[in-house]
Amino acid sequence: MNYNNIIAIIAAVLLSACTLKVPPYNADIGNVSKLKKATNEPLSLGKIESEKKLNKLSLRGSPLISSVGTSYGQYIENALQQELELAKLWSGVAKKQVSGKVIAQDIDISGFSDGSAFLKVNFIVSEEGATLYDKVITAEHNFDSSFMGSIAIPNGQRSYVELVQKLLSNLYSDKEFIASLK
Amino acid sequence: MKFLSTFTLFSALLLSGCAHQISLNPDNKNLNSANETSTAIVGYYISDEDLKKQVKTPGGGGDNVSYKPYKDTESALYTTLSNKFNNVFKLESLTDKKFLKDNNIKYVFVPKITTNSSSDSLFTWPPTSFTFTLNCDTLNEEGVSIKVIEVTGEGKAEFEEFKNDFSLSAKRATEEAFNMLVTELDKSKL
């Protein structure tokens, strides 16, 4: 066993307590294209709520928090807004509004080779008090993990971006959601 | 306690002999708008093979970093083109002339990306220096190349800066390259 491996094992054992933030969202242009094909009507964005207990994920003892505002709901709001803006569909005054609530989420990097993450959000589309759409959308994401914390933790951190990309892709692929936009 | 935090952070960055994943995507809010917008509708084409391509370049201490240059920066390309042109389409094929005609697409951009990275650190893996070269071939409606734009962005980040973002030098390089691209698009009068 060489010097680097010894240090890396010590690092894996000692890694803890540093609060990490999810990387900024990277808009998925496949998602943007789906939105552009779906509708021309502008949408506004309401709150995506998330309870306090859901706002801190744990990666082998290291807390992982949202990099937007103080909650993961705000991170998902920001992701939605980015993709709506790129599709030229976002309007702060549009009557039709998308909002929601984070129901459950987790990132699991306990495995030595595979990591997994899931996210469930209840999305609502409403217009002047009438609910047009109300459904829980789920996303799952698998990624490479490692025995080494120095590999597994950053991979888990980055996985949240792809998890949200998949969540929004699943939302935009939902026929009832698309119907509610028209 | 401070020593423990520093040690923990240092530990997180230590070597392991593997490729560490980073992301190249810049914050789209930092991408410049064009001085003169164009009424043209444009498209861009990135093959599925390129979107899946995973690249490995050197990090610090003999380690490598790994990333997907086309997938990571696709939204930056889309944003940059949107900041210049009236509308932007992602093309599934370069030979679908019907799609080009139906959507009044005047120009198609085909990017080629070359990257490199390095670090002067013996103990931490994130690259302190990153280079991102974007070569954009511009095709007209007939698929004929009418202009090639090539820009290179360079990003640097030191330990104290990248402790919260291991991809920082790469993001700085891509941000510079895409801001150079919009400048070149302005000059090109497309």
Side-chain angles (χ1 to χ4, degrees):
Chain A
M1 189 177 285
N2 65 29
Y3 176 71
N4 283 349
N5 286 341
I6 293 168
I7 292 176
I9 288 170
I10 293 168
V13 172
L14 292 177
L15 263 178
S16 67
C18 264
T19 298
L20 305 165
K21 286 186 176 181
V22 169
Y25 186 68
N26 185 19
D28 184 313
I29 303 305
N31 285 351
V32 174
S33 298
K34 277 183 190 172
L35 279 171
K36 281 171 82 171
K37 279 180 195 167
T39 183
N40 293 319
E41 274 201 49
L43 293 164
S44 62
L45 201 53
K47 294 273 178 222
I48 306 283
E49 295 171 358
S50 56
E51 290 174 20
K52 199 175 175 183
K53 65 178 181 182
L54 293 173
N55 285 329
K56 195 188 280 181
L57 297 167
S58 177
L59 300 175
R60 294 192 187 172
S62 295
L64 178 70
I65 60 172
S66 169
S67 53
V68 180
T70 54
S71 76
Y72 278 104
Q74 286 172 286
Y75 187 90
I76 295 166
E77 260 175 63
N78 175 268
L80 255 172
Q81 184 162 339
Q82 280 189 40
E83 293 186 350
L84 285 169
E85 282 180 346
L86 285 174
K88 297 186 177 173
L89 291 173
W90 183 81
S91 162
V93 294
K95 288 179 181 171
K96 204 167 274 191
Q97 186 178 77
V98 184
S99 59
K101 183 177 182 182
V102 180
I103 302 294
Q105 63 174 355
D106 195 23
I107 300 174
D108 181 1
I109 56 167
S110 58
F112 288 166
S113 59
D114 299 316
S116 62
F118 77 91
L119 174 57
K120 284 183 185 178
V121 177
N122 185 189
F123 285 104
I124 293 166
V125 179
S126 58
E127 186 172 16
E128 295 182 328
T131 300
L132 308 175
Y133 176 85
D134 185 342
K135 196 169 180 179
V136 174
I137 298 293
T138 302
E140 292 177 358
H141 179 56
N142 297 311
F143 54 92
D144 291 339
S145 188
S146 170
F147 168 69
M148 308 304 307
S150 59
I151 300 283
I153 291 173
N155 283 9
Q157 192 180 7
R158 289 180 67 249
S159 73
Y160 198 80
V161 176
E162 288 185 68
L163 183 65
V164 175
Q165 287 176 339
K166 285 185 177 177
L167 176 84
L168 297 183
S169 174
N170 293 346
L171 175 68
Y172 308 151
S173 299
D174 189 280
K175 286 178 184 171
E176 292 169 37
F177 175 73
I178 296 304
S180 75
L181 303 184
K182 292 177 179 170
Chain B
M1 188 64 198
K2 192 176 176 187
F3 170 77
L4 184 62
S5 298
T6 306
F7 183 71
T8 303
L9 175 66
F10 184 71
S11 300
L13 302 174
L14 280 170
L15 317 178
S16 67
C18 301
H20 301 264
Q21 291 185 27
I22 60 170
S23 300
L24 309 191
N25 59 298
D27 186 339
N28 288 348
K29 285 181 184 161
N30 296 336
L31 299 178
N32 295 339
S33 290
N35 287 329
E36 276 185 48
T37 53
S38 164
T39 55
I41 296 169
V42 303
Y44 70 91
Y45 175 73
I46 304 173
S47 69
D48 284 345
E49 188 185 337
D50 278 342
L51 279 173
K52 289 176 189 163
K53 187 181 284 179
Q54 187 115 17
V55 171
K56 207 184 275 186
T57 55
D63 266 16
N64 290 314
V65 287
S66 175
Y67 43 90
K68 294 180 176 176
Y70 291 91
K71 187 171 191 323
D72 286 354
T73 60
E74 187 183 4
S75 76
L77 176 67
Y78 185 94
T79 302
T80 302
L81 295 175
S82 296
N83 287 345
K84 171 70 183 174
F85 298 103
N86 185 29
N87 201 357
V88 182
F89 285 89
K90 175 179 182 168
L91 305 184
E92 302 297 327
S93 158
L94 267 179
T95 54
D96 188 350
K97 290 194 173 176
K98 185 175 183 301
F99 186 85
L100 298 182
K101 194 175 175 185
D102 289 350
N103 292 291
N104 294 317
I105 294 171
K106 194 169 182 187
Y107 307 114
V108 175
F109 295 90
V110 185
K112 285 286 161 206
I113 295 171
T114 317
T115 54
N116 206 351
S117 61
S118 62
S119 172
D120 50 19
S121 172
L122 293 174
F123 301 106
T124 59
W125 62 260
T128 54
S129 181
F130 202 94
T131 307
F132 182 90
T133 298
L134 177 66
N135 178 297
C136 253
D137 196 2
T138 313
L139 313 179
N140 65 13
E141 301 104 311
E142 302 304 316
V144 176
S145 175
I146 55 167
K147 186 168 187 61
V148 177
I149 298 173
E150 184 166 300
V151 290
T152 297
E154 292 180 9
K156 293 193 182 299
E158 297 305 323
F159 176 76
E160 277 305 312
E161 297 177 293
F162 65 54
K163 63 185 180 184
N164 286 321
D165 186 355
F166 304 148
S167 310
L168 190 58
S169 63
K171 289 179 176 181
R172 285 177 171 166
T174 53
E175 185 180 309
E176 184 175 85
F178 283 102
N179 281 333
M180 291 165 86
L181 175 64
V182 83
T183 302
E184 292 301 313
L185 289 171
D186 268 336
K187 285 183 197 166
S188 71
K189 305 288 180 194
L190 288 173

